[in-house]
Amino acid sequence: MATIPIATDQTVAVLRVARRGYRALQNVPVIPLLMLGVLTAMAILAPIVAPHSKLDPVKPLRGQCLAKFNMPDCPYVDNAPPFWAAGGTLDTPLGTDSLGRDVLSRLMHGARISLIVALTGTLFAGAIGTILGVLAGYMGRWWDEIIMRITDAWLTLPSLVFAILLSSVREPSLWNVVLILGLVFWSRYSRAVRGEVLTLRERDFVKLAEINGIDKLTIIRRHLIPNVMNTVMVLFSLQVGVAVIIEASLSFLGFGVPPPEPSWGLMMAQERESLMEGRWWLEVFPGICITMLVLSANMLGDWLRVRLDPQLRNR
Amino acid sequence: MIKRAFAILSVLTFTCGVAWGQSTPSTTKPILSGPLAKLDIKDAQIEPGRGVPKGTLRVGLHFGIDPGWFDPLGYYGPALHFYYLVHDALIKPMPQGEFTYSLAERAEMSADFRRAAFRLRPGLKFQDGHPLTTADVKWTYENYRGLGFKYLQDKTENIQLVDDRTIIFHFKTPFVDFLDLYSGSGSGIGWIVPRHYYEQVGKDGFKARPMGAGPFKFVSQEAGVQVSFEAWDQYWRRVPGVKTINIKAIRDLAARMAGLETGELDLAYGMTGKLLQRVMADPKLRWDPNYTSPWHLVFPGYNEPSSPFHDPRVRQAVSLAINRQFLVKQETQGIGKPWGNWISHENRDALRGDGTDLPVPPYDPAKAKQLLAEVGYPNGFDFDWYVPFAPYYDMAERILNDLRAVGMRSKVQMLDAPAYMAQTSKGRKGFPGNRTIVQRIDPRPGGAKELIRLYAVCDGPASYICEPKLETLWAKHEASIDVAERDRLSKELQRAIVEGYYLVPVYLNPFVHAVTQKVLPEGQTVHRYWDTVNAPFPWPWEVWEVKG
Amino acid sequence: MKKYILVRALYSVVTLWLLVTIIFGLVRLTGDPVAMKAEAGADPAYVAQLRHSWGLDQPLHRQYMGFIGRLLRGDFGHSFEKSLPVRDIYFERLPNSLKLGFAAFLISLALGVPFGMLSALKVNSVWDNAGKVIALLGLSMPGFFVGLVLIIVFGIQLGWLPVLGKGSSAFVWSAPSTWATFWFRDWAHLAMPAFALGWYFSGAMLRITRSGMLDVLGSDYIKLVRLKGVPEAVVVAKHALKNSMIPVLTFAGLNLLIMVNVSVVIEVIFNWPGVGQLLYDALSNRDFPMVQGVVLMSGLLIVLLNFTIDVLYGYVDPRIRLSR
């Protein structure tokens, strides 16, 4: 009689894990996470992987100076196209800009700057907004009224005012942009968080904690903040995209990360005329990077919102 | 009978004599008594016929429009662009020359420069028909509150109205530069404002609806956005060639370029930088280089011993390190001119920096490094800031690259235009510390002496330079009332400043203007619109013509 | 009800007062406008006269009291940079911004709502994702880039649309266009800036429409209508869409006013003479009265809108007005 192989315990266990993993993978938004992963890797590895410096012009190869300027030797060759076009070299695969700097290296370093600015700025705004929202929702009438009036007034202040104010008072820098983002956007968080807290504080576990005599600050720390995190996380991922675009707009108006640092928004803002002149690579490559970052952040945010909101999850 | 014939003859002779005396053009009759100073004022060149204005000229201005610029009593900033449209002056710079007769047909100054006299043309009117008389000239002078008003009014003892067309200014002390300030290029005091209208509508009303004696009448405006003018066919010099002029404020370079290419603009200013190549390559556009003034670098606080720029060899090293030929290729597609002076050659008393008067500064980075080693910086040094002229940040990067190559390292300090203006207008006092290099350009009228007075003397309002040798020369200049000697001293001062490396000139800046095919005359003769000396914009406006 | 309205009115006034005070302080920290307007070599008499005519030589509290006093009389002061009364200049520009905002709003509806509906009806399908990407692309590209591409393609290469803001048409330069002539003749100038701005907001419209539709489609009311045998198309068009429009319209009103901030970039690129550009110029030149005036007016409009919405909600839903 032939024996029929029976699945052993081990095989069954492995299969079960694999099945669960496969189902989990189906629900995860693969494309946005992949895009974000690539950009983050670029940001972290930039100093090691980038072929040239982000600030110094690239030393021209033999023959490039002659070809472009008819001079035997020149400090740099500006506006070289990407390697597949005439006049481009593999040394600078995505071309050079008007000061002779390598576009690819600047894009990689730019990932750092754009990610730092967007993430830190949004975190800063989120922190302030969440704290104020929780205080407004939980600490009583007077706290609520005062904070909400300030929030209303603050919502109507244009971000440009802060931009100009900060650039007059401090040296223009990366941290100015982070401050601007924080100062402008906290009000978006505080309203939403306050709404959440108003419902939360009627829940049984909070009432129980109050009855047991636990002080307000511990309740905030232990019960309220963890439970508003869902809303905050969703808002956060959606605001990251907005932050990147605002940074680009501020650079266009002259108040963003100061040159020569290679932030993507600044690269796009400075090279607008190059697009008109036909030097499309200087504008399009940073544009692709920004679009990838914002799209993936937004798609991730939308997915998170559906995942974390029990009502929407089953649709 | 003989008695009667004699009487008739004498009456006839007398009448003929009087008639002949009247027909002598009154321009040749002197106003002042005594010896007169020699003035070089050109003829107005009035058009013999009266034509018909045709077409619309649409202009793209690269900055916002301030209605305050329509009022000569409050002169500041680029107001001259609008004065040439709506107003007129007694004498003003024209293509004919730096001083050209306009409302005045004769001007004199006494040899001791203590009196100045003008005679207006006959039959002058404002645009509403009201006659323009010396009463308006006097009223304008006394009510002027723009730049320099106190200086002018304090120096004037009294203003004498001889008649409706003749006026004499009496000064307390010899005023050699009076015509420079009164000739409508350095202040608003020479541009005549209609007293009756101004008093009727008030300051705000005048800014909202200005009126003057110039070739174009104001039609309408949207504050800060655009303003429109229409030809005045009663203008004394000629009927303007264009029927309407519409000026729009378009700050964005790409937008001005787009406007030229689609034909929505006929003339646009400031087409330099990244789009110059496109302007040059477009067969439908013509462009004028419009050289304004040379870029130069100053060193605030250089005369303090702790400053790295204290030793002139360091400043010379800065000059040697800059690769001007490559810089003009990159920044201006090669049309900029490396220049050896910091003052525009269009000034009468300026030295040319292209080798004729002053040499073009050489490029020698090896010598620069050697000089630095001599002074005690074998590995170069770091300084605090390089302050660029907003928004030429790319140019600042290029120059810093050059400096870095010989060992002088720093960062670019980003100031926006108003902050830059505020700091640099205070001179050395506008910058903390003494380890800064500031990039400057100043295309203002008034001659080299005006720029020296502002920047290169110890108590100048925006002083960057303070040297005893220069002070002695300047004192001699101020004391002299001989024009030739003043010019000579001014040139000596310029040479001393450049040779002492108190400033480092870079290149003569072209501030390119572009016109479309709609502008007449066709071809390259269109450049005649830019003939006026020391003019940042192509005035006078009455000579412009476009296709209908 | 009356008490509710009064309380909300009081809140609005407090918010406005806070806004005015904050902007008064903030703007004075940005630098000295007199130093920026006076050129090199300006004589001290001229500078002193300028400072006096702008009221900046007075101590701060006097400036503040004077400012509030004039404000209550409706006088916003004289612009430093443009030398004319702030109120006149602002109201000259406001219709331009409203035109742009309104057109952008229509475009954002036209792009966002259909895709939102599609997303809601075919959840998690290819259509859902495609629609989301198209609307989100508007959010993912900086406005100055979108604007420039539009100018290059439609303005320069194809020559279909004019590239400069309203008023450059030969017919209309001499007289500010009236609303009627605008909508028939000048719409071409509005097309590109409105599209660039509208595309940006269509992402938000899509999200709101989608979530509103999903809410409604899952409700009992719709289940009942379906049970009655009403065809699906009618269910969607007549019942679901109508009910999901409420949050869209609420959001839209606020959006129109928030567009002042976002539209600065669009206005600068297309040279559209609106309030955003006015604010940018004023801030760049440290024009205190103009900045204060623009921020206050924008704030006033937003506060008025909030007040109206609160009153309407209170009227419609008794729980809200009785809860405090």
Side-chain angles (χ1 to χ4, degrees):
Chain A
M1 203 162 61
T3 44
I4 307 169
I6 310 171
T8 60
D9 282 331
Q10 285 167 312
T11 331
V12 172
V14 168
L15 279 175
R16 198 177 297 151
V17 168
R19 225 178 292 143
R20 229 184 271 152
Y22 177 66
R23 236 176 282 154
L25 210 64
Q26 268 199 319
N27 287 330
V28 157
V30 175
I31 298 181
L33 279 178
L34 206 63
M35 288 205 280
L36 278 175
V38 166
L39 292 174
T40 319
M42 224 166 51
I44 297 177
L45 297 173
I48 312 171
V49 175
H52 297 284
S53 154
K54 60 173 173 163
L55 293 181
D56 296 323
V58 175
K59 273 211 114 12
L61 296 177
R62 197 179 297 278
Q64 266 189 315
C65 284
L66 215 60
K68 177 137 193 202
F69 299 116
N70 230 348
M71 283 164 45
D73 155 59
C74 52
Y76 52 79
V77 171
D78 58 318
N79 295 315
F83 70 93
W84 59 84
T89 66
L90 267 174
D91 188 39
T92 53
L94 292 182
T96 60
D97 67 5
S98 51
L99 284 171
R101 301 174 294 204
D102 175 36
V103 173
L104 180 61
S105 313
R106 282 173 67 81
L107 281 180
M108 296 181 102
H109 280 97
R112 293 196 142 194
I113 295 182
S114 298
L115 278 174
I116 291 178
V117 169
L119 288 173
T120 325
T122 321
L123 259 168
F124 186 34
I128 303 179
T130 310
I131 294 175
L132 284 176
V134 166
L135 289 175
Y138 192 59
M139 297 295 282
R141 276 296 299 280
W142 281 117
W143 284 86
D144 190 8
E145 288 308 321
I146 295 177
I147 294 182
M148 277 302 113
R149 290 313 118 233
I150 298 181
T151 309
D152 283 342
W154 209 271
L155 265 173
T156 61
L157 279 173
S159 50
L160 214 47
V161 174
F162 292 107
I164 301 221
L165 172 67
L166 277 169
S167 73
S168 333
V169 167
R170 304 181 69 230
E171 298 295 339
S173 80
L174 194 89
W175 302 110
N176 277 11
V177 184
V178 170
L179 269 173
I180 295 170
L181 288 171
L183 285 173
V184 171
F185 288 110
W186 66 261
S187 37
R188 315 271 191 277
Y189 290 86
S190 63
R191 287 206 140 218
V193 169
R194 169 187 177 266
E196 280 279 314
V197 170
L198 283 179
T199 20
L200 270 177
R201 75 178 187 185
E202 307 300 325
R203 298 275 295 278
D204 288 342
F205 65 94
V206 174
K207 291 249 187 258
L208 268 170
E210 283 172 356
I211 292 173
N212 279 336
I214 302 183
D215 65 302
K216 289 203 162 184
L217 269 145
T218 319
I219 293 185
I220 290 179
R221 198 165 39 90
R222 283 261 209 81
H223 299 290
L224 293 177
I225 290 194
N227 282 303
V228 300
M229 269 301 130
N230 282 357
T231 319
V232 173
M233 275 213 298
V234 171
L235 263 175
F236 181 86
S237 56
L238 295 175
Q239 286 289 104
V240 167
V242 176
V244 176
I245 299 287
I246 300 267
E247 188 260 313
S249 303
L250 284 174
S251 301
F252 171 69
L253 294 172
F255 303 108
V257 179
E261 290 297 318
S263 102
W264 291 336
L266 185 65
M267 287 167 79
M268 284 193 83
Q270 283 188 318
E271 302 293 351
R272 289 180 59 233
E273 291 91 14
S274 305
L275 186 61
M276 279 188 108
E277 284 253 21
R279 298 194 285 265
W280 56 271
W281 60 93
L282 296 171
E283 179 89 341
V284 169
F285 290 133
I288 293 178
C289 290
I290 288 186
T291 308
M292 270 171 56
L293 177 58
V294 178
L295 254 184
S296 49
N298 272 307
M299 284 167 72
L300 193 64
D302 280 336
W303 177 80
L304 267 177
R305 178 148 40 108
V306 172
R307 271 294 261 142
L308 295 176
D309 183 344
Q311 280 188 306
L312 295 173
R313 197 180 300 155
N314 296 323
R315 298 254 176 78
Chain B
M1 174 131 149
I2 296 179
K3 245 197 263 180
R4 211 181 296 144
F6 184 67
I8 295 174
L9 213 60
S10 42
V11 168
L12 271 170
T13 322
F14 179 69
T15 341
C16 285
V18 168
W20 182 78
Q22 293 288 63
S23 73
T24 317
S26 50
T27 30
T28 57
K29 202 163 59 149
I31 313 166
L32 295 173
S33 53
L36 296 178
K38 191 156 159 326
L39 302 173
D40 183 19
I41 309 181
K42 302 286 193 279
D43 175 51
Q45 290 179 2
I46 304 179
E47 278 271 309
R50 307 293 290 179
V52 177
K54 273 200 298 275
T56 308
L57 176 69
R58 289 159 307 180
V59 184
L61 206 59
H62 57 290
F63 48 88
I65 301 173
D66 178 355
W69 292 329
F70 302 144
D71 181 4
L73 292 186
Y75 166 77
Y76 81 100
L80 286 172
H81 188 276
F82 299 96
Y83 294 175
Y84 271 89
L85 282 164
V86 178
H87 299 292
D88 209 349
L90 296 192
I91 293 182
K92 62 185 200 253
M94 292 281 270
Q96 296 91 300
E98 196 183 346
F99 303 118
T100 305
Y101 282 118
S102 290
L103 291 177
E105 62 174 15
R106 185 174 174 83
E108 294 166 2
M109 284 197 87
S110 59
D112 61 356
F113 291 101
R114 287 193 60 170
R115 283 171 298 156
F118 299 90
R119 183 185 301 121
L120 299 176
R121 282 172 207 288
L124 286 174
K125 306 193 287 257
F126 287 108
Q127 285 159 357
D128 62 351
H130 195 100
L132 192 160
T133 63
T134 46
D136 294 297
V137 177
K138 178 169 184 217
W139 184 85
T140 305
Y141 198 93
E142 289 172 343
N143 286 282
Y144 176 67
R145 290 289 175 272
L147 276 176
F149 77 94
K150 202 127 204 322
Y151 180 65
L152 280 159
Q153 284 161 2
D154 279 351
K155 256 188 121 94
T156 313
E157 183 161 354
N158 81 315
I159 306 176
Q160 176 192 357
L161 295 182
V162 174
D163 59 42
D164 260 1
R165 284 173 53 198
T166 323
I167 185 170
I168 304 181
F169 294 87
H170 296 265
F171 305 117
K172 296 178 186 158
T173 51
F175 198 169
V176 184
D177 299 328
F178 175 66
L179 268 191
D180 280 329
L181 285 169
Y182 200 63
S183 81
S185 64
S187 83
I189 204 169
W191 297 85
I192 308 305
V193 175
R195 171 187 191 165
H196 68 286
Y197 182 72
Y198 200 93
E199 289 182 336
Q200 179 194 336
V201 300
K203 204 154 72 137
D204 274 359
F206 193 81
K207 291 189 184 106
R209 293 203 63 89
M211 196 266 288
F216 285 88
K217 284 197 287 199
F218 171 88
V219 174
S220 71
Q221 67 167 316
E222 288 174 47
V225 177
Q226 64 171 345
V227 60
S228 301
F229 303 92
E230 186 177 69
W232 182 39
D233 53 5
Q234 304 288 315
Y235 185 55
W236 59 270
R237 187 174 173 231
R238 54 165 290 172
V239 175
V242 193
K243 181 139 191 1
T244 42
I245 296 187
N246 175 231
I247 302 179
K248 299 171 81 74
I250 305 176
R251 289 163 204 69
D252 188 39
L253 174 60
R256 286 198 301 282
M257 187 74 214
L260 280 175
E261 300 215 333
T262 58
E264 288 170 57
L265 291 176
D266 303 310
L267 164 67
Y269 304 137
M271 305 307 294
T272 31
K274 296 201 170 92
L275 282 175
L276 184 54
Q277 208 174 12
R278 190 177 170 96
V279 170
M280 289 174 164
D282 191 338
K284 296 200 310 274
L285 295 177
R286 289 165 291 171
W287 55 275
D288 188 283
N290 189 40
Y291 292 106
T292 54
S293 194
W295 290 108
H296 51 278
L297 307 179
V298 295
F299 308 91
Y302 74 95
N303 41 15
E304 290 152 29
S306 58
S307 168
F309 303 110
H310 184 66
D311 191 312
R313 284 172 293 179
V314 176
R315 303 193 297 269
Q316 187 183 2
V318 170
S319 179
L320 290 169
I322 301 176
N323 188 346
R324 291 170 177 79
Q325 291 294 348
F326 193 65
L327 189 63
V328 301
K329 261 210 236 288
Q330 298 286 297
E331 283 286 319
T332 64
Q333 304 295 322
I335 57 175
K337 297 186 184 165
W339 202 256
N341 197 358
W342 54 291
I343 297 176
S344 159
H345 57 292
E346 295 197 351
N347 287 301
R348 168 187 83 238
D349 55 345
L351 293 173
R352 290 184 69 93
D354 56 357
T356 44
D357 297 323
L358 289 168
V360 175
Y363 171 54
D364 195 342
K367 179 149 180 234
K369 279 197 244 197
Q370 183 206 334
L371 282 173
L372 285 178
E374 261 175 47
V375 177
Y377 297 113
N379 300 318
F381 61 90
D382 289 355
F383 60 98
D384 290 346
W385 293 110
Y386 182 96
V387 182
F389 187 94
Y392 291 83
Y393 303 124
D394 270 0
M395 183 173 164
E397 284 300 323
R398 297 191 218 274
I399 293 184
L400 263 190
N401 266 338
D402 283 344
L403 292 180
R404 209 175 292 144
V406 301
M408 294 183 272
R409 296 167 293 267
S410 181
K411 302 184 295 285
V412 172
Q413 183 176 44
M414 307 284 302
L415 292 175
D416 60 341
Y420 173 85
M421 288 296 167
Q423 279 186 259
T424 52
S425 66
K426 292 203 208 105
R428 187 265 172 281
K429 298 196 217 63
F431 297 94
N434 51 27
R435 306 177 68 90
T436 314
I437 296 184
V438 182
Q439 181 180 329
R440 284 200 48 73
I441 188 171
D442 194 347
R444 71 171 60 212
K449 57 180 164 18
E450 181 67 10
L451 284 166
I452 296 173
R453 179 186 77 85
L454 277 175
Y455 300 115
V457 296
C458 293
D459 53 1
S463 164
Y464 289 102
I465 302 176
C466 185
E467 295 290 317
K469 193 174 64 166
L470 300 176
E471 292 298 301
T472 350
L473 282 173
W474 180 250
K476 269 199 243 168
H477 176 275
E478 289 295 273
S480 157
I481 60 169
D482 176 8
V483 178
E485 190 191 339
R486 284 169 80 106
D487 275 3
R488 186 184 59 76
L489 284 166
S490 162
K491 289 189 168 130
E492 222 181 294
L493 274 161
Q494 289 167 58
R495 188 176 296 276
I497 292 171
V498 169
E499 287 174 359
Y501 294 103
Y502 300 114
L503 300 155
V504 171
V506 186
Y507 67 82
L508 184 61
N509 188 41
F511 195 65
V512 176
H513 295 170
V515 292
T516 55
Q517 286 171 325
K518 205 175 122 183
V519 173
L520 296 170
E522 306 200 356
Q524 295 301 314
T525 35
V526 80
H527 291 292
R528 68 184 165 103
Y529 291 135
W530 283 269
D531 277 346
T532 315
V533 287
N534 246 343
F537 297 106
W539 50 61
W541 300 104
E542 61 266 18
V543 301
W544 278 77
E545 285 170 16
V546 296
K547 291 189 193 164
Chain C
M1 184 66 183
K2 229 172 167 212
K3 177 164 175 268
Y4 176 73
I5 294 182
L6 249 110
V7 167
R8 299 240 70 91
L10 184 66
Y11 286 168
S12 304
V13 169
V14 169
T15 308
L16 277 176
W17 173 77
L18 268 173
L19 181 65
V20 160
T21 311
I22 293 176
I23 195 67
F24 177 88
L26 279 183
V27 90
R28 272 163 180 71
L29 289 173
T30 57
D32 183 9
V34 178
M36 291 176 186
K37 191 159 170 173
E39 303 174 357
D43 42 338
Y46 174 73
V47 174
Q49 173 216 231
L50 203 58
R51 194 179 292 278
H52 179 75
S53 70
W54 286 349
L56 294 176
D57 51 352
Q58 292 181 325
L60 213 57
H61 60 275
R62 279 266 200 81
Q63 286 184 42
Y64 181 66
M65 299 310 298
F67 170 57
I68 298 283
R70 281 191 299 273
L71 212 56
L72 291 171
R73 272 178 279 145
D75 176 10
F76 287 75
H78 268 58
S79 162
F80 292 169
E81 187 211 350
K82 295 185 169 60
S83 317
L84 288 176
V86 168
R87 197 182 44 197
D88 297 346
I89 301 178
Y90 182 83
F91 282 109
E92 199 177 49
R93 301 274 190 121
L94 186 61
N96 299 336
S97 276
L98 290 177
K99 284 176 200 165
L100 180 62
F102 190 60
F105 171 63
L106 288 178
I107 291 182
S108 69
L109 277 184
L111 277 178
V113 170
F115 282 118
M117 276 171 52
L118 203 60
S119 283
L121 292 173
K122 304 213 191 274
V123 181
N124 282 331
S125 70
V126 169
W127 292 107
D128 185 7
N129 289 322
K132 266 196 260 174
V133 169
I134 292 182
L136 289 179
L137 264 180
L139 274 177
S140 315
M141 295 190 285
F144 56 83
F145 178 67
V146 174
L148 187 60
V149 171
L150 286 173
I151 287 178
I152 293 179
V153 171
F154 291 100
I156 300 179
Q157 305 281 17
L158 293 174
W160 289 352
L161 293 170
V163 301
L164 296 178
K166 161 194 100 79
S168 68
S169 135
F171 310 109
V172 105
W173 60 262
S174 61
S177 53
T178 61
W179 283 84
T181 54
F182 174 79
W183 289 111
F184 287 125
R185 201 158 51 201
D186 299 342
W187 68 269
H189 292 285
L190 192 55
M192 288 196 290
F195 184 78
L197 197 56
W199 197 10
Y200 184 81
F201 282 97
S202 62
M205 287 300 175
L206 180 140
R207 287 199 181 111
I208 294 177
T209 313
R210 184 178 186 271
S211 64
M213 285 279 283
L214 286 175
D215 273 343
V216 170
L217 283 175
S219 70
D220 292 337
Y221 169 68
I222 292 289
K223 288 198 188 121
L224 197 64
V225 168
R226 282 201 181 116
L227 277 176
K228 277 169 67 176
V230 178
E232 188 65 16
V234 179
V235 172
V236 167
K238 201 162 155 222
H239 301 284
L241 191 59
K242 218 169 25 150
N243 288 322
S244 53
M245 275 296 108
I246 300 172
V248 171
L249 289 173
T250 324
F251 182 69
L254 208 61
N255 240 11
L256 193 65
L257 300 164
I258 292 177
M259 274 186 197
V260 171
N261 288 348
V262 185
S263 67
V264 173
V265 171
I266 302 281
E267 286 183 10
V268 169
I269 300 174
F270 287 98
N271 210 54
W272 187 262
V275 168
Q277 205 187 58
L278 191 61
L279 182 65
Y280 177 54
D281 278 346
L283 277 167
S284 303
N285 290 297
R286 315 298 194 270
D287 186 351
F288 294 168
M290 185 64 84
V291 172
Q292 286 161 187
V294 171
V295 170
L296 178 59
M297 285 307 302
S298 307
L300 182 65
L301 291 173
I302 295 181
V303 164
L304 272 176
L305 191 78
N306 276 335
F307 175 69
T308 319
I309 293 180
D310 282 345
V311 168
L312 282 174
Y313 272 175
Y315 188 69
V316 163
D317 188 349
R319 290 177 299 174
I320 294 182
R321 70 167 180 261
L322 293 174
S323 67
R324 292 299 187 100

